[in-house]
Amino acid sequence: MSPTAPKDMFGKEIKEGDAYFVVNDKAVHIDSMEDYFIEVLGATVHERKKPLTAGTVNGDDKSHQ
């Protein structure tokens, strides 16, 4: 009988070689990070419709740097 792979807090198996984070003693597989941001941290997902202009980051003009 082979041992089963451990799972992260969302049920994603963590296999040998997989990257994962430990947050408050709970594992979060790298593939589950979107779920973690949304479900645990309350983040919202946004999609950029227009391309960023050169020198602009988050609405701040960084062209002088």
Side-chain angles (χ1 to χ4, degrees):
M1 185 169 149
S2 63
T4 58
K7 295 182 180 181
D8 76 353
M9 63 189 296
F10 298 99
K12 173 82 175 167
E13 285 189 357
I14 301 173
K15 299 176 184 171
E16 188 174 334
D18 283 353
Y20 66 96
F21 298 92
V22 177
V23 182
N24 296 328
D25 296 326
K26 297 187 185 225
V28 183
H29 192 283
I30 192 121
D31 291 345
S32 297
M33 288 310 298
E34 183 176 356
D35 294 330
Y36 181 79
F37 287 131
I38 294 168
E39 294 179 27
V40 176
L41 299 180
T44 56
V45 178
H46 300 268
E47 181 180 335
R48 178 85 185 176
K49 299 291 183 185
K50 293 181 181 178
L52 292 172
T53 58
T56 303
V57 177
N58 293 331
D60 296 328
D61 183 2
K62 303 291 184 193
S63 59
H64 64 281
Q65 296 179 354

